[in-house]
Amino acid sequence: MKALSVSRFNALWLVLMAVMMATRFKHFGDMLHLPDASMAIFFLGGLYLRHHWTFVVMVLLAVALDWVSISYAGVSDFCITLAYSFLPLAYAVLWYAGRWYAPRMTGRAMSYLAAFIVALLAAIGSFAISNGSFYWLGGRYANPHMSEYVARLWQWGPLFVRTTISYVAVALVLQAVVSRVVASTNGHEKARA
């Protein structure tokens, strides 16, 4: 997949930031709010935006949104521990998995399926880092041990990963549809010329 034009890059970046701002306050969602799309946004940012500096800005946006949600929106600060410092690493797994896969996107069905699988694996790795750092370094569990950690990993992991890959699947389907429409439109215009 070739790099985006400046205007498309800016438009997509604004969309990704807006989705993060709209969803960051509710990890699991409820009747009025979509679940947090941050993990998917980091994968999609790597896949489409790719720039290292953009990753840094997105991490800073996530931190700023967390600060606002805790300071002004009444969100609990339970997760803000030493482990919070591992979130950039967890997000980097997603971003750089997307960035790594980007040149392999051909627009064929199999490349979309492969992107989905890469996102799934990256989401599992990212969640293991964020959840593992919270469990082992967060200081919230008096006597952490492996069996409790594995139980918590199985309790929360599927929900976080399912949310991430659901957003990624929607984005990949949208990309496939838009690519087909653009290719069809271009084909019709060339046939007329």
Side-chain angles (χ1 to χ4, degrees):
M1 182 171 70
K2 63 182 184 175
L4 298 172
S5 67
V6 172
S7 61
R8 287 184 179 172
F9 176 94
N10 289 335
L12 182 57
W13 192 20
L14 287 172
V15 167
L16 292 176
M17 288 191 300
V19 171
M20 184 185 288
M21 287 186 265
T23 65
R24 184 89 180 164
F25 296 95
K26 295 282 185 182
H27 285 296
F28 306 117
D30 57 27
M31 293 297 289
L32 298 175
H33 304 92
L34 290 171
D36 184 8
S38 298
M39 289 174 66
I41 287 168
F42 278 99
F43 178 79
L44 295 169
L47 187 65
Y48 299 123
L49 305 178
R50 303 184 196 161
H51 296 289
H52 303 294
W53 65 268
T54 313
F55 169 72
V56 172
V57 172
M58 294 300 280
V59 168
L60 293 173
L61 175 62
V63 170
L65 290 171
D66 290 345
W67 178 78
V68 168
S69 67
I70 291 167
S71 299
Y72 299 104
V75 173
S76 169
D77 66 352
F78 183 77
C79 292
I80 307 299
T81 67
L82 171 64
Y84 189 80
S85 64
F86 281 79
L87 274 185
L89 176 60
Y91 291 148
V93 168
L94 292 155
W95 187 277
Y96 289 99
R99 189 174 193 271
W100 170 81
Y101 188 73
R104 293 153 182 84
M105 285 288 289
T106 62
R108 294 186 178 153
M110 289 306 291
S111 74
Y112 290 111
L113 177 61
F116 180 82
I117 292 168
V118 170
L120 174 63
L121 295 173
I124 292 168
S126 177
F127 180 75
I129 291 168
S130 64
N131 184 267
S133 63
F134 180 74
Y135 181 77
W136 295 106
L137 303 174
R140 301 291 189 208
Y141 304 98
N143 297 308
H145 54 83
M146 188 55 81
S147 62
E148 182 182 39
Y149 169 65
V150 170
R152 291 183 176 278
L153 192 66
W154 281 111
Q155 177 184 3
W156 299 108
L159 180 59
F160 274 90
V161 171
R162 182 181 70 222
T163 299
T164 300
I165 62 172
S166 295
Y167 280 117
V168 169
V170 168
L172 292 173
V173 167
L174 282 173
Q175 179 188 356
V177 168
V178 168
S179 294
R180 259 197 208 270
V181 168
V182 168
S184 176
T185 303
N186 289 342
H188 290 307
E189 288 174 6
K190 286 179 184 177
R192 285 185 216 150

